[in-house]
Amino acid sequence: MVKSTKNNKYSILLPTYNEVENLPIIIWMIVKYMDQSNYNYEIIIIDDGSPDGTLDAAKQLQSIYGDSKIILKPREKKLGLGTAYIHGMKHATGNFILIMDADLSHHPKFIPEFIKLQEANNYDVVSGTRYLGNGGVSGWDFKRKLISRGANFLTQLLLRPGASDLTGSFRLYKKDVLQKLIESCVSKGYVFQMEMIVRARQMKYTIGEVPITFVDRVYGESKLGGSEIVQFSLALLHLFATT
Amino acid sequence: MTKLMEWLSVLSVLISVWISCFTNRYKFEILDQYKEFILYLPFILIALFGLYAVAVVLYRVFTFNNCVEAAAEVQKQIIEAKEDLAKKGFVFKTS
Ligand SMILES: Nc1nc2c(ncn2[C@@H]2O[C@H](COP(=O)(O)OP(=O)(O)OP(=O)(O)O)[C@@H](O)[C@H]2O)c(=O)[nH]1
Ligand SMILES: [Mg+2]
């Protein structure tokens, strides 16, 4: 195997909660695209005690792909996404961290694009965006698109964050940058992603963007609800007043 | 300076310029001539901006890409992945 000339290692953090159907597929896809491009990487699975047996699937995958590639860092119970990233990062050995959802909404074929853009411009952060170029969504009705575009317009107007997709969670970070960002973020849950990118701009980190397609989850339950709109509005006001 | 402070400072400058047009402190022909228009100007601008916002958002909703091929690609790869994983000895959970 030809090793990449650069000594970069990518730690891919996969938080999972009840993703027993999705996990094997997403791992298979990540391995396919990362091996194709010959990148040095590891996949860290942070499962929060999923009752559906996600951890057993993860263990099987570990024995297939080897424990230098698949690393399991499970936690006892559901403690939330924000802390899952922190937990995973503690065990990451790469100098870059990639975070993505395990529900097949984020396609691993974009990871090499993130990496190439990062290498070309030495960006601190590369963020996937549904709102630019060939990016987009699949399976969204008019109402969901309207909420998404409306919220995005308002956010751009008020915060001028220098990134087009604030709530997306498909991103590549330099490890030390992610460390500092996580330390400076106060919000939890779904709005955590938005705070991360806004603080990145505030702290003068450089941000690159790659258009991505976002496909709604095929397996498992969606947790999108009215409370997310409330959370989003509060986070927007908070960031408006503090950044 | 926070975004909130930026907005407040720009707004307060604009509002004070607007109010000063009605204090009779400055005597310009032009002020008297367009008094009515200047009075309504902020509201006209807000309404115009509202229209602009609605138009932009609707345009973006209708041009929001529907990634049909991406969804189909995932479906195809799910089948591929399952076959390959089964060959490698992965046992899928039967529910
Ligand atoms: N470890 C851990 N992972 C979580 C937790 N909540 C969600 N996840 C995972 O985080 C990723 C994103 O969560 P999703 O439930 O897909 O959230 P979403 O994309 O906003 O909403 P839907 O896809 O519509 O359900 C998925 O891989 C989940 O399995 C949690 O509390 N702990
Ligand atoms: Mg999802």
Side-chain angles (χ1 to χ4, degrees):
Chain A
M1 203 175 93
V2 191
K3 270 268 153 69
S4 172
T5 46
K6 298 153 195 109
N7 289 320
N8 291 329
K9 181 169 182 182
Y10 301 89
S11 298
I12 300 173
L13 303 189
L14 271 187
T16 57
Y17 189 75
N18 284 349
E19 304 286 5
V20 71
E21 283 119 326
N22 292 318
L23 186 66
I25 317 282
I26 192 86
I27 297 286
W28 182 87
M29 283 161 61
I30 294 173
V31 169
K32 171 183 157 109
Y33 289 98
M34 293 303 279
D35 283 354
Q36 233 169 48
S37 315
N38 266 324
Y39 291 123
N40 188 9
Y41 68 99
E42 65 188 0
I43 304 170
I44 302 176
I45 302 171
I46 308 111
D47 184 66
D48 273 3
S50 305
D52 72 348
T54 304
L55 189 57
D56 292 330
K59 282 177 183 155
Q60 281 196 62
L61 291 160
Q62 189 179 41
S63 64
I64 291 174
Y65 291 110
D67 56 8
S68 62
K69 221 173 243 181
I70 312 271
I71 293 145
L72 308 182
K73 294 294 167 192
R75 299 188 295 180
E76 287 295 308
K77 55 178 200 300
K78 195 172 193 306
L79 296 168
L81 259 182
T83 57
Y85 294 132
I86 298 172
H87 179 73
M89 200 165 60
K90 268 192 235 144
H91 305 281
T93 61
N95 54 333
F96 283 91
I97 308 273
L98 186 123
I99 60 178
M100 68 188 296
D101 292 353
D103 60 0
L104 306 180
S105 290
H106 297 149
H107 200 296
K109 71 179 173 192
F110 295 111
I111 302 175
E113 290 185 36
F114 282 42
I115 294 175
K116 281 187 203 111
L117 186 71
Q118 193 287 323
E119 284 179 342
N121 302 283
N122 194 23
Y123 286 128
D124 296 313
V125 183
V126 175
S127 174
T129 175
R130 295 161 288 183
Y131 302 112
L132 290 183
N134 291 325
V137 292
S138 151
W140 286 24
D141 59 7
F142 176 82
K143 188 180 154 202
R144 201 156 158 212
K145 284 183 174 176
L146 183 66
I147 292 173
S148 174
R149 284 299 199 176
N152 190 258
F153 182 87
L154 191 63
T155 315
Q156 296 295 336
L157 177 70
L158 294 182
L159 302 181
R160 278 174 283 124
S164 59
D165 196 337
L166 298 159
T167 51
S169 50
F170 195 1
R171 292 180 188 152
L172 175 67
Y173 295 90
K174 285 181 181 165
K175 188 181 182 185
D176 53 322
V177 169
L178 182 60
Q179 193 93 50
K180 291 204 188 81
L181 286 174
I182 284 183
E183 280 163 19
S184 72
C185 283
V186 295
S187 51
K188 293 277 166 290
Y190 146 89
V191 288
F192 172 75
Q193 305 297 348
M194 171 155 94
E195 176 161 9
M196 293 268 277
I197 205 84
V198 172
R199 300 254 177 236
R201 180 43 45 108
Q202 185 191 25
M203 291 157 86
K204 305 267 187 290
Y205 290 126
T206 53
I207 304 169
E209 294 192 289
V210 172
I212 58 154
T213 54
F214 182 95
V215 177
D216 254 359
R217 61 163 67 242
V218 187
Y219 300 110
E221 302 225 329
S222 172
K223 295 118 200 158
L224 190 84
S227 76
E228 284 191 349
I229 296 178
V230 177
Q231 272 183 53
F232 175 84
S233 312
L234 291 176
L236 182 56
L237 289 179
H238 172 243
L239 292 173
F240 185 58
T242 60
T243 67
Chain B
M1 189 152 77
T2 66
K3 289 285 179 286
L4 176 65
M5 295 312 285
E6 279 177 34
W7 276 77
L8 287 180
S9 36
V10 171
L11 280 181
S12 53
V13 168
L14 291 177
I15 289 173
S16 29
V17 169
W18 180 63
I19 288 175
S20 70
C21 293
F22 305 101
T23 50
N24 294 327
R25 187 124 59 100
Y26 310 101
K27 279 278 162 233
F28 291 114
E29 195 89 351
I30 205 158
L31 282 185
D32 294 325
Q33 225 172 334
Y34 293 104
K35 197 137 226 165
E36 194 117 304
F37 177 70
I38 294 172
L39 183 64
Y40 294 121
L41 190 61
F43 306 99
I44 295 170
L45 289 179
I46 289 170
L48 283 178
F49 181 75
L51 284 177
Y52 164 77
V54 169
V56 166
V57 169
L58 281 181
Y59 175 78
R60 289 179 181 168
V61 169
F62 288 113
T63 56
F64 210 162
N65 283 335
N66 266 320
C67 308
V68 195
E69 318 81 49
E73 183 185 18
V74 172
Q75 288 301 333
K76 216 184 87 210
Q77 290 188 333
I78 287 176
I79 299 169
E80 236 180 283
K82 281 186 172 167
E83 278 172 8
D84 189 48
L85 282 166
K87 257 186 248 157
K88 291 189 160 81
F90 187 88
V91 185
F92 287 89
K93 195 185 152 192
T94 43
S95 53

